[in-house]
Amino acid sequence: MLGTETPTGRLLRRLRPGGVLAALGLALILLAVIAPEALTPRDPLAIAPSEAFSPPSWTHPFGTDESGRDLFARVVHGAAASAGIGLAATAIGIGAGLVLGFAGALGPRAIDTAIARVVEVLFALPTLVLALLLVAVIGPGTQASVIAIGVATAPGYARILRSRVRGVVRSDYVAYARHEGAGPLTVFVRHIAPNTLWPLVATATLGVGQAIVWVSALSFLGLGALPPSPEWGAMLNAGRVYISSAWWMTVLPGAAIVATATVLTVLGRRASGAGSEGR
């Protein structure tokens, strides 16, 4: 029976019900990123002072803020800003992690030792604390928060990649390829890279959700995107003043952050499991 199983059936079996729900959630998030107008026709920046602080209703499913802006429209349109910032920060972290990881694992011992010490020092600091230190040096703003989160997450990616590459380099199939006369570039392209990058891809999927949370935290502290931007962390920052009288201004954007991070975490774990099964 397994031999006649369709690719779709294998995918569903690996995802399981939780993964399928997470995939549907990701599809909804991608729709909000690519075509937010398909979910709401409202302008996220349009103000209506007469409707300020309206609670959730059929007219405004997520209520309105202090300026009468529709919160559902802001949360939907904010998906592009928050997800884009999270992806950019993760891309920076992975790029730096690739350089440090491969240089440490494949370079001379002196370079490996130096990189290992730097990574250990950076890895000892909590990611958000390191990001706050970098923002203090670079200055607040969206670009600064992206760079700060990217640099702060790089040590984790570098540590994972370095460990994986060192294990692959010592493997029998790499030794056999070298024995057969394969050059360093051929060994790297055919054996080392394919067997080390997949775990990093799965980890990066988890990392995007974490990056969205951390970038939102910086915006909440006033160090990232600023109002009236419909970025989720900036919305939390704007709503915290009214938490006792207009809870929806904080709870609902926060729920969007939690839901997005949960979806990406579930899919990242499923991807990691599928990669291990495939190997």
Side-chain angles (χ1 to χ4, degrees), residues 26 82-91 94 149 153 157 201-215 260-261 264-265:
L26 179 61
S82 297
I85 292 173
L87 285 170
T90 303
I94 290 177
I149 294 297
T153 56
Y157 294 122
V201 171
T203 303
T205 305
L206 301 171
V208 173
Q210 294 173 341
I212 290 174
V213 172
W214 287 323
V215 170
T260 302
L264 293 172
T265 298

Side-chain angles (χ1 to χ4, degrees), residues 92-185:
I92 292 174
I94 290 177
L98 286 173
V99 173
L100 293 174
F102 280 126
L106 302 177
R109 179 177 292 274
I111 294 179
D112 181 32
T113 301
I115 291 177
R117 298 292 85 77
V118 172
V119 168
E120 287 175 1
V121 171
L122 295 177
F123 200 73
L125 294 173
T127 301
L128 189 57
V129 172
L130 181 57
L132 287 171
L133 292 175
L134 292 173
V135 168
V137 174
I138 301 173
T142 301
Q143 293 182 347
S145 63
V146 169
I147 294 173
I149 294 297
V151 173
T153 56
Y157 294 122
R159 193 173 186 179
I160 293 171
L161 186 63
R162 176 178 174 271
S163 175
R164 179 66 183 174
V165 170
R166 289 172 70 89
V168 171
V169 167
R170 298 192 185 100
S171 64
D172 293 337
Y173 55 87
V174 169
Y176 179 78
R178 288 173 173 169
H179 179 73
E180 289 294 312
L185 183 59

